Amino acid sequence: MNADKRQSKTRTSARELALDVLTRVEENKAYSNLQLNSALQRASLSREDAGLATELVYGTISRLNTLDYFLDRFVSKGIRKLQPWVRNLLRLSLYQLMYLDRIPPHAAVNEAVNLAKRRGHQGISGMVNGVLRNVLRNREELALPDGLPAAERIALEHSHPQWMVERWIRAYGESAAEAICRANNEPPAVSVRVNTTMISREGMLAEMEKAGVQAAPSPLSPEGILVYGGGNMALSDWYRDGQISIQDESSMLVAGAVGPAPGMRVLDCCAAPGGKTAHMAELMKDQGEIVANDLHEHKRKLIEGQAERLGLGSIHTVTGDALKLADRYPAGSFDRILLDAPCSGLGVIRRKPDLKWTKTPEDIGEIAGLQRKLLDSVSSLLRVGGMMVYSTCTIDPEENERTVQHFLKTHPGFGVPEDSGGTWGRLHAGADGAGVQILPQDYHSDGFYIARIQRFF
């Protein structure tokens, strides 16, 4: 009982919280963002310590195979033979030594040894101490050997699976593949979308300036604002009152490509959590109808929550398999269709670093097969003259341009429309085919693919 009381009074440190999260992620294949958010809510860390814990979790996962590559040189029996919590303690400690200049090396080592003493026996704390002090004495060994093949060098220097790097080199060339990997390890920008049914972008920028929040108009999206150091925008009055939504700049381009106008009937096939749905409703001035479908009931409620917060009445939510929407609605009954398709998510690694370690080449092939079926199925619901947009948050050609090319070859009534000007027209100018591929390094935004397809007959 006394031990329980003493334990309850011991405050969790940033490193201990990060260690717990990393170990749960590895052992349970859990999502790091969900585990971290849950752990931060339970702990009473200062803002600085919460920031450090977040940096340690995402940074360690981002740099995973680089950390393991070097740790294997210093752990005599190899890092894979260690208990998961010991392995993750060494990883997050080496991450601090290699990538966080602001933390004194002795502080990182001492904290690791103290954690090892609390969690394990003297032998483990001695091993942790020995490994990390050996690293400090031999820091010159934390360098990759010369002459590595390009894919292996990029994979280790920027910490990505080698198969993924090889795939990107084939698709985009060595220089672009390395730039993708480098960009994936940078912190994501904070961007918000202005609800133009309530306030203009200029009006929102003026309000932010008045409140002392540093912000600038997005160069990519007409409704977007980049926010610098303004804290969590989801906790702001602007968000609560429906004046802004949190959305990546690349994602904001999708609604503009759809080109919805007041009075139109629009189908959003895979709509949750509802950001693009709401953006389309805002562009339509909330006049007309958007049918927002998702497979899961709990996700349908997320869309409804967004619409309610933003004061949008034109969104009608439904639940069902997108492959069966053609059985539910008459052929040719929509002016616009958005298929924001399920995908591998390889364009958002910057936000979800776990993705690069959990995906396989086989996953991509399976997902591309589903995407082709979805395009084939929902296309019959588009009226002649109408526009369908296919979008993904991935950068793999098999899921993107090859999927769209396959659709166009097998559906002669559909083709590539003329550019309609605006942001989409500028991006698509000179593009080969129906779509635009945005890579993570292009605008410091998410990797996204967007294609516009028109029904001619």
Side-chain angles (χ1 to χ4, degrees):
M1 188 74 170
N2 289 339
D4 288 342
K5 283 183 178 176
R6 281 199 303 274
Q7 192 172 17
S8 68
K9 288 179 182 177
T10 304
R11 287 187 62 187
T12 303
S13 70
R15 290 174 178 84
E16 191 166 17
L17 186 146
L19 175 59
D20 286 340
V21 170
L22 289 166
T23 305
R24 281 199 294 273
V25 167
E26 181 178 350
E27 289 189 309
N28 305 329
K29 301 291 184 280
Y31 292 116
S32 60
N33 61 328
L34 300 181
Q35 289 293 326
L36 178 62
N37 290 341
S38 174
L40 288 173
Q41 284 170 10
R42 290 194 305 271
S44 53
L45 296 183
S46 67
R47 185 173 174 178
E48 291 75 16
D49 280 350
L52 174 59
T54 301
E55 167 74 27
L56 291 177
V57 169
Y58 288 139
T60 300
I61 292 172
S62 288
R63 300 288 182 174
L64 202 58
N65 68 345
T66 308
L67 297 171
D68 285 1
Y69 175 82
F70 289 122
L71 281 171
D72 265 333
R73 297 183 180 186
F74 294 96
V75 178
S76 57
K77 60 182 180 180
I79 192 168
R80 286 284 151 204
K81 297 283 179 65
L82 299 174
Q83 295 176 61
W85 75 266
V86 180
R87 179 164 54 243
N88 283 296
L89 178 58
L90 288 173
R91 284 168 172 164
L92 72 86
S93 301
L94 182 59
Y95 176 76
Q96 294 168 77
L97 298 178
M98 287 185 69
Y99 298 107
L100 293 187
D101 294 339
R102 67 181 184 275
I103 294 179
H106 67 271
V109 174
N110 289 343
E111 285 281 347
V113 173
N114 289 335
L115 263 175
K117 283 178 182 172
R118 288 208 296 278
R119 293 284 175 101
H121 52 71
Q122 194 170 354
I124 290 178
S125 64
M127 184 274 291
V128 168
N129 186 46
V131 168
L132 295 177
R133 294 202 182 280
N134 197 12
V135 169
L136 288 179
R137 284 193 299 272
N138 298 281
R139 297 209 51 171
E140 71 281 354
E141 288 192 31
L142 300 177
L144 299 177
D146 294 331
L148 288 175
E152 188 179 354
R153 177 190 63 77
I154 293 169
L156 286 171
E157 189 171 331
H158 303 290
S159 212
H160 280 66
Q162 191 169 321
W163 71 264
M164 205 175 278
V165 177
E166 288 168 350
R167 201 172 173 101
W168 292 340
I169 288 174
R170 287 196 298 273
Y172 302 111
E174 182 183 328
S175 176
E178 183 162 12
I180 291 168
C181 295
R182 187 184 293 113
N184 283 344
N185 289 326
E186 295 170 356
V190 176
S191 53
V192 299
R193 185 189 79 243
V194 178
N195 180 358
T196 50
T197 68
M198 290 189 181
I199 187 171
S200 67
R201 179 165 74 168
E202 292 70 27
M204 192 71 244
L205 282 165
E207 283 205 17
M208 288 181 169
E209 186 179 3
K210 203 188 309 175
V213 174
Q214 189 182 353
S218 161
L220 207 51
S221 166
E223 294 81 40
I225 291 178
L226 292 169
V227 182
Y228 308 99
N232 187 345
M233 286 289 110
L235 301 178
S236 68
D237 289 344
W238 303 314
Y239 181 88
R240 189 196 67 220
D241 296 341
Q243 292 181 303
I244 61 169
S245 295
I246 297 163
Q247 189 178 13
D248 182 79
E249 290 176 279
S250 295
S251 178
M252 291 182 211
L253 296 172
V254 175
V258 174
M264 282 185 175
R265 189 163 191 246
V266 179
L267 173 64
D268 191 347
C269 304
C270 308
K276 299 180 190 72
T277 317
H279 193 187
M280 290 190 292
E282 290 162 6
L283 293 178
M284 291 165 66
K285 299 181 170 42
D286 203 28
Q287 298 166 26
E289 182 191 16
I290 298 180
V291 175
N293 175 74
D294 200 83
L295 183 61
H296 304 287
E297 175 63 21
H298 70 280
K299 290 191 173 181
R300 182 181 71 82
K301 289 177 180 173
L302 290 177
I303 305 167
E304 287 186 344
Q306 288 270 28
E308 189 178 339
R309 181 181 65 82
L310 296 163
L312 300 169
S314 58
I315 296 170
H316 172 58
T317 61
V318 296
T319 306
D321 185 345
L323 284 169
K324 296 177 180 174
L325 286 168
D327 300 331
R328 192 169 184 170
Y329 298 101
S333 57
F334 291 94
D335 302 295
R336 297 285 187 270
I337 293 176
L338 170 59
L339 175 57
D340 188 45
C343 71
S344 63
L346 299 184
V348 295
I349 287 173
R350 180 190 277 144
R351 297 178 192 281
K352 299 178 180 178
D354 326 48
L355 277 173
K356 59 186 174 183
W357 309 121
T358 56
K359 294 297 178 186
T360 67
E362 292 73 32
D363 290 337
I364 292 172
E366 286 177 21
I367 293 168
L370 172 61
Q371 292 163 341
R372 291 181 182 195
K373 288 178 185 172
L374 284 166
L375 263 176
D376 179 61
S377 176
V378 303
S379 62
S380 65
L381 296 172
L382 187 66
R383 69 165 173 81
V384 173
M387 198 78 67
M388 177 167 65
V389 165
Y390 173 83
S391 64
T392 72
C393 59
T394 190
I395 58 173
D396 195 276
E398 187 174 351
E399 298 177 75
N400 293 340
E401 54 259 43
R402 289 209 283 276
T403 290
V404 171
Q405 285 166 3
H406 177 269
F407 174 80
L408 292 174
K409 279 179 189 170
T410 53
H411 294 75
F414 294 79
V416 181
E418 290 184 15
D419 289 341
S420 56
T423 304
W424 169 260
R426 290 197 305 276
L427 284 170
H428 191 248
D432 183 20
V436 170
Q437 178 67 72
I438 298 169
L439 299 177
Q441 68 270 30
D442 291 343
Y443 302 101
H444 195 65
S445 59
D446 290 347
F448 243 85
Y449 179 79
I450 307 167
R452 296 177 88 231
I453 300 165
Q454 189 165 8
R455 183 169 191 175
F456 294 118
F457 58 86

